[in-house]
Amino acid sequence: MEQVGAGGDDVWLEAASWSDNRRELRVPTALAGSLRLFLGESESVQVVDVSNRGCRLRGVALKAAQRVWLRIGELETLVGTVAWCDDGEAGIRFEQRLPRAVIVLLSGGAPDDGYEDI
């Protein structure tokens, strides 16, 4: 995984797989979402897990470094970048971190033991 940034503000560019070491807790979900590329049509996706920095999607054919707009339920549209993609799955890096309350809401109210906003 390559990281770029100044002053400790890391930018996650690409990872070989979602199981690589991550600093944030990922919460499993089974949510429907819609994804749109710049000047593209929306397509349905499944949100497999989510953290304050990103999410894993299933049912998409994307390329690393593509900019995407993701809508999950009634949330505001999230803007992100494709960090990795493999066999119909992709990891999205959000431009802005999600607050703990949003993660809990998306996970269906799962306990947040061990979850840290980092």
Side-chain angles (χ1 to χ4, degrees), residues 47-70:
V47 181
V48 177
D49 60 35
V50 66
S51 75
N52 65 338
R53 293 177 174 236
C55 67
R56 178 170 48 141
L57 304 178
R58 185 172 290 146
V60 293
L62 298 170
K63 295 179 183 173
Q66 286 180 302
R67 192 162 190 220
V68 297
W69 287 260
L70 177 65

Side-chain angles (χ1 to χ4, degrees), residues 77-95:
T77 300
L78 304 167
V79 180
T81 303
V82 178
W84 62 267
C85 44
D86 183 38
D87 198 26
E89 291 192 345
I92 306 300
R93 167 76 173 174
F94 300 143
E95 286 186 1

Side-chain angles (χ1 to χ4, degrees), residues 5-112:
D9 184 23
D10 66 325
V11 178
W12 191 51
L13 295 179
E14 186 172 358
S17 77
W18 193 255
S19 62
D20 289 351
N21 292 329
R22 300 280 186 250
R23 293 184 302 170
E24 69 276 358
L25 175 71
R26 294 178 303 279
V27 178
T29 64
L31 300 169
S34 64
L35 179 86
R36 185 174 60 82
L37 299 173
F38 182 68
L39 297 178
E41 301 274 327
S42 285
E43 61 180 284
S44 295
V45 295
Q46 180 184 12
V47 181
V48 177
D49 60 35
V50 66
S51 75
N52 65 338
R53 293 177 174 236
C55 67
R56 178 170 48 141
L57 304 178
R58 185 172 290 146
V60 293
L62 298 170
K63 295 179 183 173
Q66 286 180 302
R67 192 162 190 220
V68 297
W69 287 260
L70 177 65
R71 183 112 173 140
I72 306 171
E74 300 299 317
L75 290 181
E76 290 183 27
T77 300
L78 304 167
V79 180
T81 303
V82 178
W84 62 267
C85 44
D86 183 38
D87 198 26
E89 291 192 345
I92 306 300
R93 167 76 173 174
F94 300 143
E95 286 186 1
Q96 295 188 7
R97 295 179 185 181
L98 296 180
R100 177 190 312 250
V102 173
I103 301 297
V104 172
L105 176 70
L106 290 175
S107 67
D112 59 359

